[in-house]
Amino acid sequence: TMILTDPELRADWEAELEDIRTGMLELRKQLAAELRRLSNSDRFDFLAGHRGMFSRLGTSPENVEKLRADHGIYMTSDSRMNIAGLNAKTVPILAAAIVAAGI
């Protein structure tokens, strides 16, 4: 209540939220571009259009297990991954693992 009712604090909070939102959009774009570069395919371009903290790759539980076992990449069995947990340095690592796993 204190933050939302104080105009200055609310403005700071909204600016921080916008930074987080645009940062996740940039990570999505970076991941889609890196996957396009490594796979020479546009099949992952849909990731750039998703919104929110999570995205699904749309792959099988077997492929998810392969990512975990071979590359230490963790996601739910339905291939939901945490975009908010990525950063500019880890996106290329994730993209390389996805391509190496044959997804």
Side-chain angles (χ1 to χ4, degrees):
T1 302
M2 183 172 83
I3 292 170
L4 296 178
T5 58
D6 181 294
E8 189 174 319
L9 291 176
R10 185 181 180 113
D12 287 345
W13 175 71
E14 288 176 351
E16 289 173 7
L17 285 178
E18 183 63 13
D19 287 346
I20 292 167
R21 186 187 73 78
T22 58
M24 278 196 282
L25 290 174
E26 288 305 313
L27 288 170
R28 289 176 178 288
K29 289 178 187 175
Q30 181 188 358
L31 180 57
E34 187 68 8
L35 284 164
R36 179 184 274 262
R37 185 183 72 77
L38 293 174
S39 69
N40 200 27
S41 169
D42 64 355
R43 71 181 184 268
F44 297 106
D45 285 358
F46 68 90
L47 292 170
H50 284 180
R51 298 293 179 263
M53 293 175 29
F54 301 96
S55 280
R56 283 190 176 84
L57 279 177
T59 193
S60 68
E62 294 79 21
N63 282 338
V64 170
E65 177 57 26
K66 185 172 181 160
L67 281 171
R68 187 203 58 77
D70 296 350
H71 303 281
I73 305 292
Y74 292 86
M75 60 185 69
T76 61
S77 62
D78 67 351
S79 74
R80 185 179 68 146
M81 60 183 166
N82 181 0
I83 300 299
L86 295 172
N87 63 54
K89 291 181 181 179
T90 58
V91 165
I93 296 166
L94 174 60
I98 290 169
V99 171
I103 297 173

